[in-house]
């Protein structure tokens, strides 16, 4: 039972510290939409999404009004489309027709993004997987709300280097296909290792094959709340610091739990998980970088940054897992460059480099996220960046991801404006030396020895 002090405290977090529910995401299984006829597949997909999600946006708005909790996004994730369209789609263009259907359904129900234009190829690729991957540049260029992801490795299977090489080419082609929008298509494309089935955050969300027919997942965000809490603990030792982060994460997660249960009840769809991720926005005071600087760094990227991020991520998870029985997804701290004003400032001042960001991904929730790089970066270099990040995930048994944006026509030092929650980003330099001989070897990098557990 909440007491009056807790009610006032929560209201203050919402009104003054930028606490919000970042997304309510409805996962919808499309496995029963499989058919040998492409027109039938598209019609089944459209009808099922609209049937389940017709009231998603209105219910989200009602909950926000009734409880006074901002709910920023309402989204949908679906079964990886490579599995759904495999029988009917014989060419990449066939898969593009499904992307258009997903986009049409997203517009119809009013969600801002729909994820699941995805393939899971950690050990090998079927013909359908390859066709979907090759369709991604066109699919993201001709749709507005579709998000795509590809899982190229896992701790259990190793890294599919053929898929890594293909994704390097795909990112480059997506950038070219959307160059009139500053290569915005790449902002809707994520390459994973150890992708979770229950992630509500875009662009990497998809509905796992082990999930129910439909579920509700909620993603909560509160970097501003954590920063304000830490301001009150200035000068204290690490024990006090960690306790402060844990208690704050607990309170944030309880808000998400309330929203998730209410959304589940009103929509008649089972509750899945709460994803407690400190997901920043470009707004001042809503920054993971500023939390790290409040801990004691002059600027993110300074020595000690990785240790501070490791501590923050761990305490967020510890606090969240005590607040809900079903914490899942990614849950921790995101470090997207373009979406975090503190990160942008650190890059601009030269404090934060791509190599330091890679080191930070060893201990954070995801990986190299929303990073603008020069438009003439080769596909082999992009594949090498993907391979490095995937290797971190594989060896450390954690989810890692790459969302880099080679902005056509832009060079190091230029700035790219993406708008909205995607923010803006300075174009960062990449290592000038080639890894082409490495990524072109083909085949698989085997799973690490500690994966052999039965």
């Amino acid at each position: 039972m909440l007491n009056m002090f807790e009610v006032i405290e929560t209201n203050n977090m919402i009104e003054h510290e930028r606490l919000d529910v970042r997304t309510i995401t409805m996962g919808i299984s499309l496995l029963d939409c499989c058919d040998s006829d492409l027109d039938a597949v598209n019609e089944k997909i459209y009808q099922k999404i609209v049937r389940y999600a017709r009231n998603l946006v209105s219910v989200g708005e009602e909950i926000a009004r009734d409880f006074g909790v901002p709910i920023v996004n309402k989204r949908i994730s679906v079964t990886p489309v490579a599995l759904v369209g495999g029988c009917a789609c014989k060419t990449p263009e066939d898969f593009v027709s499904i992307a258009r259907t997903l986009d049409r359904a997203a517009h119809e129900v009013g969600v801002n993004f729909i994820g699941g234009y995805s393939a899971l190829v950690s050990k090998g690729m079927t013909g359908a997987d390859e066709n979907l991957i090759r369709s991604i540049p066109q699919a993201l260029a001709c749709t507005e709300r579709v998000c795509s992801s590809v899982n190229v490795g896992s701790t259990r299977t190793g890294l599919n280097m053929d898929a890594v090489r293909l994704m390097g080419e795909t990112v480059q082609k997506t950038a070219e296909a959307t160059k009139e929008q500053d290569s915005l298509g790449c902002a809707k494309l994520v390459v994973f290792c150890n992708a979770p089935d229950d992630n509500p955050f875009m662009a990497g969300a998809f509905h796992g094959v082990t999930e129910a027919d439909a579920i509700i997942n909620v993603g909560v965000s509160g970097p501003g709340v954590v920063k304000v809490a830490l301001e009150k603990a200035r000068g204290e030792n690490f024990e006090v610091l960690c306790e402060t982060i844990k208690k704050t994460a607990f309170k944030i997660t309880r808000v998400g739990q309330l929203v998730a249960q209410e959304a589940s009840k009103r929509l008649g769809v089972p509750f899945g998980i709460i994803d407690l991720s400190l997901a920043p926005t470009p707004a001042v005071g809503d920054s993971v970088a500023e939390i790290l600087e409040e801990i004691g760094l002059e600027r993110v990227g300074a020595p000690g940054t990785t240790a501070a991020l490791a501590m923050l991520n761990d305490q967020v998870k510890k606090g969240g897992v005590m607040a809900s029985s079903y914490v899942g997804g990614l849950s921790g701290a995101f470090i997207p460059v373009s979406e975090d004003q503190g990160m942008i400032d650190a890059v601009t001042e030269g404090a934060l480099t791509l190599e330091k960001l890679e080191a930070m991904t060893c201990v954070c929730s995801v990986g190299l996220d929303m990073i603008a790089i020069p438009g003439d970066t080769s596909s082999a270099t992009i594949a090498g960046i993907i391979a490095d990040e995937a290797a971190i995930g594989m060896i450390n048994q954690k989810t890692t991801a790459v969302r880099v944006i080679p902005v056509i026509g832009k060079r190091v030092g230029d700035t790219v404006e993406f708008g909205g929650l995607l923010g803006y980003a300075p174009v960062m330099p990449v290592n000038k030396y080639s890894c082409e001989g490495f990524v072109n070897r083909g085949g698989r990098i085997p799973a690490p020895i500690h994966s052999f557990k039965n």
Side-chain angles (χ1 to χ4, degrees), residues 136-151:
I136 288 172
Q138 185 184 352
L140 296 183
C142 72
T143 59
E144 181 185 357
R145 305 187 186 190
V146 172
C147 290
S148 180
S149 61
V150 177
N151 190 73

Side-chain angles (χ1 to χ4, degrees), residues 30 33 38-50 76 78 81 94-109 114 117 139 142-143 145-146:
L30 300 182
C33 297
L38 183 56
D39 290 338
V41 171
N42 279 303
E43 182 62 22
K44 289 178 181 179
I45 288 173
Y46 179 81
Q47 293 298 336
K48 185 165 188 181
I49 292 172
V50 171
I76 295 169
V78 300
V81 167
D94 289 343
F95 274 107
V96 172
S97 74
I98 296 181
R100 292 181 187 275
T101 297
L102 295 175
D103 201 49
R104 184 163 61 97
H107 277 275
E108 174 64 25
V109 300
I114 183 166
Y117 196 75
C142 72
T143 59
R145 305 187 186 190
V146 172

Side-chain angles (χ1 to χ4, degrees), residues 32-241:
D32 57 353
C33 297
C34 297
D35 199 290
S36 58
D37 181 83
L38 183 56
D39 290 338
V41 171
N42 279 303
E43 182 62 22
K44 289 178 181 179
I45 288 173
Y46 179 81
Q47 293 298 336
K48 185 165 188 181
I49 292 172
V50 171
R51 183 170 74 252
Y52 272 95
R54 184 179 300 279
N55 297 320
L56 177 61
V57 172
S58 60
V59 165
E61 291 170 349
E62 289 170 6
I63 294 171
R65 185 175 61 249
D66 293 348
F67 292 94
V69 179
I71 299 175
V72 180
N73 299 300
K74 297 85 181 174
R75 297 167 170 173
I76 295 169
S77 63
V78 300
T79 308
V81 167
L83 300 175
V84 179
C87 291
C89 296
K90 308 304 179 187
T91 66
E93 291 71 26
D94 289 343
F95 274 107
V96 172
S97 74
I98 296 181
R100 292 181 187 275
T101 297
L102 295 175
D103 201 49
R104 184 163 61 97
H107 277 275
E108 174 64 25
V109 300
V111 296
N112 67 320
F113 284 124
I114 183 166
Y117 196 75
S118 307
L120 309 178
V121 294
S122 62
K123 197 172 183 181
M125 284 186 287
T126 66
D129 291 327
E130 185 172 347
N131 280 333
L132 181 132
I133 293 171
R134 293 191 183 280
S135 78
I136 288 172
Q138 185 184 352
L140 296 183
C142 72
T143 59
E144 181 185 357
R145 305 187 186 190
V146 172
C147 290
S148 180
S149 61
V150 177
N151 190 73
V152 298
S154 75
T155 300
R156 296 288 293 186
T157 63
L159 301 184
N160 182 346
M161 291 302 293
D162 292 324
V164 168
R165 183 180 66 243
L166 180 56
M167 286 311 300
E169 297 167 0
T170 300
V171 170
Q172 188 184 58
K173 289 177 181 177
T174 302
E176 186 66 38
T178 57
K179 64 182 179 182
E180 301 304 323
Q181 295 84 42
D182 280 334
S183 303
L184 183 63
C186 295
K188 299 184 289 179
L189 174 59
V190 182
V191 187
F192 275 116
C193 178
N194 287 325
D197 281 5
D198 55 6
N199 168 25
F201 283 103
M202 300 296 169
F206 61 84
H207 186 72
V209 295
T210 62
E211 301 281 359
D213 208 38
I215 54 169
I216 288 291
N217 293 328
V218 166
V220 187
S221 176
V225 180
V226 175
K227 183 177 184 296
V228 170
L230 293 183
E231 288 173 358
K232 300 170 185 175
R234 285 178 182 169
E236 300 288 353
N237 63 28
F238 280 107
E239 183 179 355
V240 174
L241 195 69

